């Protein structure tokens, strides 16, 4: 079957085999058709509204050594910070005034925030009326369970790549099996579970990207965040060539075809590689934006890769900017929590 026919088939059935996905990934002559189809599927399944989730990057301290990430513990050139609970709450309060319905708490794997501290922050934020997404890395079942009981709703943990060998090469002292165990635990605890991958990792193949997409479907992920790998100075991969905007967009669009009703953010990494990256992504399958509401110096210091988009805007400036941009493409800002399976009620 031609790539064109395969895209039509995916729109009707939400199904593609590994070989079929590879075929589409390889063929750049059909990109516009793929993007238009993903946009239509997004509209039919999750509607026109865009969910804004306020992102607080509360600690850039990390015990891990992921070879692509600027926050890896071996990088001694970045200034490390850890917000106090009061600082986190101040940012959450300001998110209320921006009208955001979800707070995303993200950090490096920072042991200072033990279960008790994390649960206390979750409870306080929950009291303000937010849905809560966590992105804190690998934890035990008991820790995830405590976060859930404290009121967390969603958890983001990218598999990064489903190529076990590549995964283990990129993540010293971490195990692919444990990563998968975390995702399984999160699902079983009732979290809306998000995963995703990096596109353009050294040694990554079309076949392994196809397997990533099929993995998202296999675990019935509720959210998929993916973006291009952007080489970061002072990391072992600083000289790698990195992913392209277009290839990340293709993987995202294919994800929308196969998982039509999930939440897909237009990621900061996409905006970093293309000046209009988020808005383009919203027109190729995405339906979520996660504005960074971290303030002051911390905004620059959460330096996972260079040139991170939007660090120059204040959170309020960014909120005004993204609102105008979203409206200019005929979309609306959601005033609901934006849970999966609630999309009809949301719109
Ligand atoms: N520590 C948590 C974790 O790893 O799940 C959350 C924070 S981590 C900075 C969030 C995501 O940043 C990772 O899942 C990874 O995909 C992405 N990331 C890290 N370094 C990157 C790079 N150089 N280019 C693009 N994305 C990167
Ligand atoms: Fe730490 Fe996450 Fe960066 Fe890995 S990707 S070094 S776990 S912050």
């Amino acid at each position: 079957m031609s790539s064109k026919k395969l895209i039509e088939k995916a729109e009707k059935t939400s199904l593609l085999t590994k070989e079929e996905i590879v075929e589409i990934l390889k063929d750049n002559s059909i990109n516009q058709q793929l993007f238009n189809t993903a946009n239509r599927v997004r509209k039919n399944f999750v509607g026109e509204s865009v969910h804004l989730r306020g992102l607080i990057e509360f600690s850039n301290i990390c015990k891990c050594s992921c070879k692509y990430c600027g926050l890896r513990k071996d990088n001694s050139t970045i200034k490390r910070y850890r917000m106090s609970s009061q600082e986190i709450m101040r940012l959450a309060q300001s998110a209320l005034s921006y009208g955001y319905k979800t707070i995303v708490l993200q950090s490096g794997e920072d042991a200072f925030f033990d279960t008790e501290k994390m649960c206390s922050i979750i409870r306080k934020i929950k009291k303000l009326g937010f849905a809560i997404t966590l992105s804190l890395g690998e934890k035990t079942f008991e820790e995830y369970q405590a976060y859930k009981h404290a009121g967390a709703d969603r958890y983001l943990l990218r598999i990064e790549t489903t190529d076990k060998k590549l995964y283990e090469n990129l993540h010293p002292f971490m195990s692919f099996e444990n990563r998968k165990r975390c995702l399984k635990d999160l699902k079983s605890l009732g979290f809306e579970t998000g995963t995703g991958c990096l596109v353009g990792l050294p040694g990554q193949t079309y076949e392994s990207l196809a397997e990533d997409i099929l993995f998202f479907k296999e675990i019935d992920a509720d959210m998929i965040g993916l973006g291009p790998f952007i080489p970061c100075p002072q990391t072992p991969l600083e000289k790698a060539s990195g992913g392209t905007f277009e290839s990340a967009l293709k993987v995202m669009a294919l994800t929308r075809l196969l998982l039509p009703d999930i939440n897909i953010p237009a990621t900061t990494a996409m905006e970093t590689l293309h000046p209009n990256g988020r808005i383009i992504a919203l027109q190729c399958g995405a339906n979520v934006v996660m504005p960074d509401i971290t303030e002051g110096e911390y905004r620059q210091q959460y330096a996972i890769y260079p040139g991170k988009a939007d660090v120059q805007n204040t959170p309020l400036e960014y909120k005004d900017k993204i609102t105008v941009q979203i409206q200019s493409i005929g979309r609306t800002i959601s005033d609901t929590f934006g849970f999966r399976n609630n999309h009809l009620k949301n719109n």
Side-chain angles (χ1 to χ4, degrees):
M1 219 187 282
S2 67
S3 310
K4 192 167 177 291
K5 289 272 175 236
L6 291 174
I7 294 169
E8 287 169 11
K9 172 189 141 180
E11 182 175 12
K12 285 198 200 99
T13 63
S14 310
L15 292 171
L16 287 173
T17 64
K18 178 177 163 187
E19 292 68 31
E20 291 170 338
I21 297 173
V22 170
E23 196 58 43
I24 297 171
L25 286 172
K26 276 186 180 162
D27 183 353
N28 282 326
S29 72
I30 47 69
N31 289 0
Q32 203 49 54
Q33 184 204 348
L34 172 64
F35 298 148
N36 292 344
T37 310
N39 194 36
R40 197 161 52 238
V41 170
R42 183 272 309 153
K43 184 176 172 188
N44 291 340
F45 281 82
V46 300
E48 295 286 34
S49 60
V50 176
H51 305 288
L52 300 181
R53 327 268 205 212
L55 172 65
I56 303 177
E57 296 162 335
F58 65 92
S59 165
N60 70 355
I61 296 170
C62 190
K63 66 175 166 62
C64 302
S65 302
C66 309
K67 288 187 184 168
Y68 43 80
C69 180
L71 305 190
R72 67 199 306 271
K73 76 166 188 306
D74 320 69
N75 183 2
S76 55
T77 62
I78 63 165
K79 193 167 167 204
R80 302 283 173 171
Y81 71 87
R82 171 184 281 150
M83 287 183 198
S84 66
S85 160
Q86 289 79 356
E87 285 177 297
I88 297 172
M89 291 314 295
R90 262 200 304 278
L91 294 180
Q93 286 285 358
S94 54
L96 267 188
S97 67
Y98 308 146
Y100 296 162
K101 306 288 286 179
T102 293
I103 291 289
V104 184
L105 292 171
Q106 191 181 83
S107 68
E109 292 210 11
D110 182 355
F112 173 83
F113 290 96
D114 58 17
T115 312
E116 203 186 311
K117 287 198 185 78
M118 239 15 264
C119 288
S120 155
I121 294 167
I122 293 166
R123 277 192 294 270
K124 284 190 207 145
I125 295 182
K126 198 70 187 174
K127 274 201 193 127
L128 297 178
F130 288 107
I132 299 177
T133 305
L134 301 176
S135 175
L136 317 174
E138 296 182 9
K139 306 284 171 186
T140 63
F141 179 86
E142 288 71 25
E143 286 170 299
Y144 290 143
Q145 188 172 45
Y147 302 156
K148 189 82 185 57
H149 288 159
D153 303 281
R154 312 187 184 106
Y155 203 103
L156 300 173
L157 185 75
R158 291 183 179 178
I159 191 75
E160 315 291 1
T161 173
T162 52
D163 178 336
K164 185 173 188 299
K165 232 172 119 193
L166 181 59
Y167 181 92
E168 288 182 347
N169 175 26
L170 292 172
H171 302 95
F173 316 113
M174 290 166 82
S175 108
F176 185 62
E177 295 313 317
N178 193 48
R179 197 79 170 176
K180 288 204 292 190
R181 188 274 305 160
C182 289
L183 288 167
K184 196 161 152 253
D185 286 352
L186 290 164
K187 259 289 187 193
S188 73
L189 284 163
F191 278 98
E192 283 212 337
T193 303
T195 188
C197 63
L198 285 166
V199 180
L201 289 165
Q204 195 176 38
T205 59
Y206 289 130
E207 284 73 16
S208 93
L209 285 169
E211 276 172 12
D212 292 351
I213 299 171
L214 291 174
F215 173 77
F216 305 156
K217 197 164 168 75
E218 181 192 316
I219 68 163
D220 190 25
D222 302 298
M223 311 174 274
I224 293 297
L226 58 85
F229 154 58
I230 303 174
C232 183
Q234 309 294 335
T235 65
L237 299 185
E238 65 182 335
K239 297 213 160 57
S241 45
T244 64
F245 175 63
E246 188 99 331
S247 55
L249 214 52
K250 285 190 77 169
V251 177
M252 191 195 77
L254 279 160
T255 301
R256 173 59 76 197
L257 297 192
L258 266 61
L259 293 96
D261 67 339
I262 64 165
N263 283 314
I264 301 184
T267 56
T268 308
M270 290 195 179
E271 183 84 359
T272 301
L273 286 197
H274 190 293
N276 205 23
R278 273 211 195 89
I279 290 297
I280 296 172
L282 286 173
Q283 296 171 295
C284 298
N287 70 320
V288 171
V289 173
M290 292 165 43
D292 183 3
I293 59 168
T294 309
E295 287 183 12
E297 285 195 346
Y298 299 150
R299 228 170 143 79
Q300 277 89 31
Q301 289 165 2
Y302 200 81
I304 54 183
Y305 48 73
K308 207 166 142 223
D310 314 319
V311 287
Q312 306 311 333
N313 292 122
T314 66
L316 183 56
E317 283 165 355
Y318 185 71
K319 189 229 159 197
D320 291 341
K321 180 176 147 189
I322 193 71
T323 302
V324 170
Q325 285 180 329
I326 288 169
Q327 287 165 348
S328 76
I329 56 165
R331 304 273 283 278
T332 52
I333 307 285
S334 166
D335 60 1
T336 73
F337 291 113
F339 287 107
R340 185 190 187 187
N341 299 332
N342 253 340
H343 288 297
L344 291 181
K345 274 187 255 162
N346 290 333
N347 283 287

